[in-house]
Amino acid sequence: MKFETTPAFDSDYRRLKREHADTFKKIVREKFASACDAYVKDPSAPWPTGFRVKAVRSALGVLEMTWSFASPDGRATFELVTVEEELRCRWRRIGDHDVFHRP
């Protein structure tokens, strides 16, 4: 699966501490990307429980995932979109619980 970002995500990402940004990238590369690929093959396949993927109540079609339970409390919001008949993961926001104010 391909990934893309929104301007809000890019801005949030630049504000992350370097070690937190590195942790997020590592988790996406090593674990989350394969979960997305599994979803493409079978949309009924469950997301790995460690990410706690669930719908954001206030934003239709937007999902949240937890990438860190320690400091920081790392959260990211994303949506699955189709671009040129290809399913993609669009990262919307990243940070802590504050990302849910405008997911």
Side-chain angles (χ1 to χ4, degrees), residues 10 13-14 17 27 37 40-41 48 54 58 65 69 76 81 95:
D10 296 337
Y13 189 83
R14 283 191 296 273
K17 289 183 179 178
I27 287 170
D37 290 338
V40 169
K41 290 178 184 167
K54 58 186 174 182
S58 62
M65 62 89 79
F69 292 97
V81 297

Side-chain angles (χ1 to χ4, degrees), residues 77-93:
T77 61
F78 66 98
E79 60 190 329
L80 300 172
V81 297
T82 302
V83 177
E84 297 176 3
E85 299 183 28
E86 177 181 56
L87 192 62
R88 296 184 184 182
C89 177
R90 178 180 295 148
W91 295 109
R92 297 174 53 92
R93 300 297 306 272

Side-chain angles (χ1 to χ4, degrees), residues 10-48:
D10 296 337
S11 178
D12 293 341
Y13 189 83
R14 283 191 296 273
R15 285 193 297 270
L16 289 177
K17 289 183 179 178
R18 189 78 195 128
E19 62 267 21
H20 300 160
D22 290 345
T23 299
F24 175 75
K25 283 191 335 189
K26 181 179 178 181
I27 287 170
V28 168
R29 191 176 325 120
E30 294 178 2
K31 297 178 182 176
F32 193 75
S34 61
C36 289
D37 290 338
Y39 179 85
V40 169
K41 290 178 184 167
D42 180 7
S44 68
W47 292 94

